[in-house]
Amino acid sequence: MKKYKSKNRLTSKAYIDGVLKGDRVILSRAITIIESNLEGDKILAKEIVQEILPNSGKSIRIGITGVPGVGKSTFIEVFGLHLVNEGHKVAILSIDPSSQRSRGSILGDKTRMEELAILQEAYIRPSASGDTLGGVSNKTGETMLLCEAAGYDIILIETVGVGQSETAVHGMTDFFLLLMLSGAGDELQGIKKGIMEMADMVIINKADGDNMRMSQMARLQYQNALHIFPESESGWSPVVTTASAIKNIGISNVWDEVLKFKKLVNENGYFLKNRNHQQIKWMYNNINEELKQLFYGSKKIKSELSILEKDIVSAKISPVKAAQKILEDFKKSL
């Protein structure tokens, strides 16, 4: 192992040992290395991930998404507290939307999950989604591996919301939770079919008080809607249930269903098959990301793009022709 070290950085061994010991401070610093775009940090990050790899993969990974206002953060806190009380160590990777204008991010989940954040058995890491589509940070996969190596046996990944492109979380998790509200007629129109098809469980949240009857009606509507989708390769029939995070109602039932799912997919071999498929897909995603950085990081390409932009605006060249030209020039430079 290289003992790579740069300014204000520990050696790779120090990060690896700290992560494996479950040191939350070192874990946070290691994740910062993973998320960094500095060239030196990229080298260090690859060393860390490679070395901790044998100690990862032992958790159950749960993706959580939902419509705006559904109460994802409240649900995750109450669900996380339940899991800790069951004897688990829980890591919450919460992806906040980045501003496309300022590149800033709110990163407020630690303040929204105050009770969970103070527990030693829980670790909350907010990250900005940046330019990455899919509702997850482009480094969420590596962060997840580090958390597993640090001893967290349940990983919860909260996505930025529900949208056509925000489904990447499904490609790196074992179980996919979709949180919805009552008034299913409207929500069924607004939600994307692809997300519904991927859901292993739909939870009608805020099912309490005067909202109980509407929530039960919504549960039946969603259950009927799910019947029209083809059977999942996992052999699991999606479950629709009601819950109230704020009243702590139905939370234990959610975990019971996750355990039933895990038992089924372990027995029929789907769990391992899906994990292997995700690993291969992850490799291709990394190749695509590296190629994009290689292309846009080239000084020559940046210069040519600047010229082509002006030519497009002045109608000297079409966008399609400009794209073909710069790609041909790039291929010649390889």
Side-chain angles (χ1 to χ4, degrees):
M1 184 198 310
K2 291 181 184 178
K3 293 186 178 180
Y4 183 90
K5 188 176 180 181
S6 63
K7 188 178 180 181
N8 300 322
R9 298 294 189 236
L10 305 175
T11 63
S12 56
K13 186 179 187 306
Y15 287 114
I16 293 158
D17 290 346
V19 168
L20 295 180
K21 288 175 184 174
D23 186 320
R24 297 205 299 180
V25 173
I26 297 295
L27 173 61
S28 293
R29 291 181 66 179
I31 293 172
T32 298
I33 299 291
I34 296 296
E35 294 177 339
S36 172
N37 287 320
L38 298 174
E39 286 305 317
D41 286 344
K42 288 179 183 180
I43 296 170
L44 187 55
K46 287 171 183 174
E47 292 178 12
I48 294 169
V49 172
Q50 185 61 39
E51 291 299 321
I52 61 92
L53 200 57
N55 295 281
S56 65
K58 300 179 180 72
S59 76
I60 182 161
R61 305 163 179 173
I62 302 173
I64 302 176
T65 192
V67 295
V70 77
K72 287 195 296 291
S73 294
T74 304
F75 173 84
I76 289 170
E77 176 166 46
V78 175
F79 187 45
L81 289 169
H82 174 77
L83 295 173
V84 168
N85 289 333
E86 290 285 306
H88 297 283
K89 288 187 69 179
V90 186
I92 297 97
L93 308 181
S94 179
I95 315 303
D96 276 322
S98 296
S99 166
Q100 291 303 305
R101 189 173 293 179
S102 66
R103 303 301 178 191
S105 179
I106 299 170
L107 303 178
D109 278 281
K110 282 196 175 182
T111 59
R112 294 198 296 267
M113 303 180 193
E114 292 178 352
E115 194 175 346
L116 190 62
I118 62 174
L119 298 180
Q120 286 296 316
E121 298 85 0
Y123 177 76
I124 301 172
R125 177 72 183 200
S127 300
S129 59
D131 292 325
T132 309
L133 295 177
V136 293
S137 163
N138 61 348
K139 299 299 181 183
T140 301
E142 288 94 332
T143 300
M144 181 171 62
L145 295 180
L146 262 64
C147 290
E148 290 175 340
Y152 295 94
D153 62 320
I154 298 176
I155 311 293
L156 306 180
I157 303 179
E158 177 192 8
T159 70
V160 295
V162 173
Q164 186 171 6
S165 62
E166 295 175 9
T167 58
V169 65
H170 182 263
M172 61 175 67
T173 54
D174 306 308
F175 193 86
F176 192 65
L177 280 176
L178 174 61
L179 299 182
M180 296 299 292
L181 297 167
S182 59
D186 293 334
E187 274 80 30
L188 279 170
Q189 293 298 318
I191 196 164
K192 301 296 181 181
K193 179 184 175 185
I195 295 174
M196 285 290 289
E197 283 182 305
M198 290 187 293
D200 296 302
M201 188 173 193
V202 177
I203 302 168
I204 315 301
N205 196 25
K206 303 185 179 182
D208 52 61
D210 295 338
N211 205 33
M212 282 294 295
R213 192 178 73 84
M214 287 287 289
S215 296
Q216 288 299 333
M217 287 175 59
R219 183 184 67 80
L220 291 172
Q221 285 181 292
Y222 280 111
Q223 194 72 68
N224 290 334
L226 286 169
H227 284 317
I228 68 174
F229 297 136
E231 185 178 341
S232 169
E233 189 183 350
S234 67
W236 173 259
S237 297
V239 176
V240 184
T241 188
T242 59
S244 170
I246 203 165
K247 298 287 186 181
N248 203 355
I249 298 171
I251 302 301
S252 60
N253 178 56
V254 174
W255 180 236
D256 289 343
E257 292 296 335
V258 174
L259 291 176
K260 288 177 187 176
F261 171 86
K262 192 168 185 292
K263 184 175 185 293
L264 173 70
V265 294
N266 275 331
E267 289 176 352
N268 66 20
Y270 178 78
F271 185 87
L272 183 59
K273 180 182 177 181
N274 186 47
R275 281 282 181 96
N276 290 338
H277 173 74
Q278 288 177 354
Q279 290 288 88
I280 293 169
K281 188 176 179 182
W282 189 3
M283 177 190 72
Y284 283 109
N285 288 343
N286 273 274
I287 290 172
N288 291 338
E289 188 65 28
E290 290 287 340
L291 286 173
K292 187 172 78 171
Q293 290 182 16
L294 180 66
F295 181 80
Y296 288 108
S298 166
K299 289 182 180 179
K300 184 182 177 184
I301 291 297
K302 287 179 183 177
S303 176
E304 287 189 41
L305 280 172
S306 179
I307 296 168
L308 285 171
E309 285 175 6
K310 293 174 184 176
D311 288 345
I312 289 170
V313 171
S314 61
K316 289 181 180 178
I317 190 171
S318 73
V320 174
K321 188 69 176 176
Q324 289 176 337
K325 182 180 185 304
I326 199 162
L327 286 172
E328 286 298 326
D329 291 345
F330 180 66
K331 285 188 279 187
K332 289 174 185 176
S333 69
L334 296 177

